[in-house]
Amino acid sequence: MRLALAQINPLVGALQGNAERILVAASEAQRDGADVLLTPELSLWGYPPRDLLLQPARIAAQAELLQWMSQKLDSDLIVLVGVALPTDDDRAPGLTNSIALVHRQGWRAVAHKQLLPSYDVFDERRYFRPGDGPCLLSLPNGKRLGLTICEDLWVDDGLQRERLDGPDPIDQLIPEQPDLVINLAASPFDVSKPALRQQLAAAAAQRLNCPLIYLNQVGGNDELVFDGASFVVGADGAVQLELPVCEEHLAVWDSGHPTPIRI
């Protein structure tokens, strides 16, 4: 199975432009023979969208854009897009930080973020409701993908100073025996984070006995810098692929052949 990692720089609030950027990546992924295209956390919005999420017109536009994107896909490529989806009741907050699967037959939600940071530069509990797990996606080829979003990977007490109270999305996936785990992220840079991300991913991959893909947003937004530095680790925790730092990039990784097809 070939997976394309689109390390992109979405513009906050520019849903149409971000959708077009994702479709460009989809065209490149299709050309390289990918089965699945991955995009970062909230890739349709840019991170963090803050109070733009409270505008009903933008939420309505998002649904129209996802349908439009599906109509623009002319192959069997599956695209995983970071979105903010409305809940089915009138309670607040009324959104989930989610992943949508987009393909030429339409789109649907496939995962919701479970651990919502509200510290330092983050304020996700103002906008989002935590999802339930485990988040497992079964593909037509029979492969089973575990899906996590950013903070859902930060659950190792032995590696990090503290973690959010709540479920352990990695532990939830163990009985599901996924073939691969994906973490779509929008993780701002600080000097200690690149190494820590790889350590957390390696620990999760070893717990689940399967490879793990970590895909991070790149670019700048006000005071925040997103460094990208996406990567793949094998089931043994060893790094198999690393993407550039602070650079938009698309790479293709084949789960059956760890040597990257395109970097």
Side-chain angles (χ1 to χ4, degrees):
M1 178 175 58
R2 293 185 176 186
L3 298 101
L5 287 67
Q7 182 173 281
I8 60 174
N9 176 16
L11 179 62
V12 170
L15 276 69
Q16 178 71 45
N18 293 336
E20 293 170 359
R21 186 174 307 216
I22 292 169
L23 287 175
V24 170
S27 178
E28 296 178 7
Q30 179 184 345
R31 183 188 64 214
D32 290 337
D35 304 296
V36 180
L37 171 67
L38 309 179
T39 67
E41 176 183 13
L42 288 174
S43 55
L44 200 57
W45 289 81
Y47 192 95
R50 297 193 173 98
D51 281 9
L52 295 177
L53 293 164
L54 304 180
Q55 299 178 8
R58 289 183 186 268
I59 300 299
Q62 173 186 245
E64 295 174 359
L65 277 172
L66 289 168
Q67 188 60 36
W68 174 77
M69 291 173 69
S70 75
Q71 294 167 356
K72 290 292 184 179
L73 295 173
D74 58 1
S75 72
D76 291 328
L77 180 70
I78 289 171
V79 184
L80 297 184
V81 181
V83 293
L85 296 181
T87 57
D88 57 3
D89 56 46
D90 295 327
R91 290 179 292 155
L95 297 170
T96 55
N97 184 338
S98 302
I99 300 172
L101 182 155
V102 182
H103 55 95
R104 62 180 176 178
Q105 286 81 35
W107 70 274
R108 60 188 174 93
V110 291
H112 307 294
K113 189 173 183 178
Q114 298 185 61
L115 297 176
L116 302 177
S118 289
Y119 58 85
D120 194 22
V121 300
F122 305 104
D123 194 16
E124 292 197 23
R125 285 192 173 272
R126 170 176 168 83
Y127 308 102
F128 298 119
R129 190 181 306 177
D132 297 321
C135 298
L136 189 78
L137 173 63
S138 296
L139 298 179
N141 62 10
K143 296 296 184 181
R144 294 157 57 85
L145 307 183
L147 302 179
T148 61
I149 303 175
C150 206
E151 193 87 17
D152 292 343
L153 181 64
W154 294 67
V155 291
D156 194 311
D157 292 323
L159 291 173
Q160 58 197 100
R161 184 166 58 89
E162 58 186 22
R163 83 166 187 91
L164 292 185
D165 185 43
D168 182 339
I170 300 302
D171 189 62
Q172 291 175 347
L173 286 168
I174 292 175
E176 304 296 334
Q177 298 183 317
D179 298 293
L180 172 69
V181 170
I182 293 165
N183 185 262
L184 303 185
S187 177
F189 173 80
D190 76 38
V191 69
S192 65
K193 271 190 178 178
L196 180 55
R197 292 175 193 143
Q198 290 195 4
Q199 290 171 342
L200 289 165
Q206 290 169 328
R207 287 171 67 189
L208 293 163
N209 192 33
C210 70
L212 187 148
I213 297 176
Y214 175 89
L215 178 66
N216 192 27
Q217 176 177 307
V218 70
N221 176 24
D222 293 335
E223 76 278 16
L224 300 180
V225 174
F226 298 90
D227 56 315
S230 307
F231 58 86
V232 180
V233 295
D236 60 355
V239 176
Q240 297 184 355
L241 171 67
E242 293 181 282
L243 273 63
V245 175
C246 295
E247 179 182 322
E248 286 194 282
H249 198 82
L250 187 138
V252 179
W253 177 81
D254 191 321
S255 61
H257 303 279
T259 301
I261 297 166
R262 179 159 85 97
I263 59 174

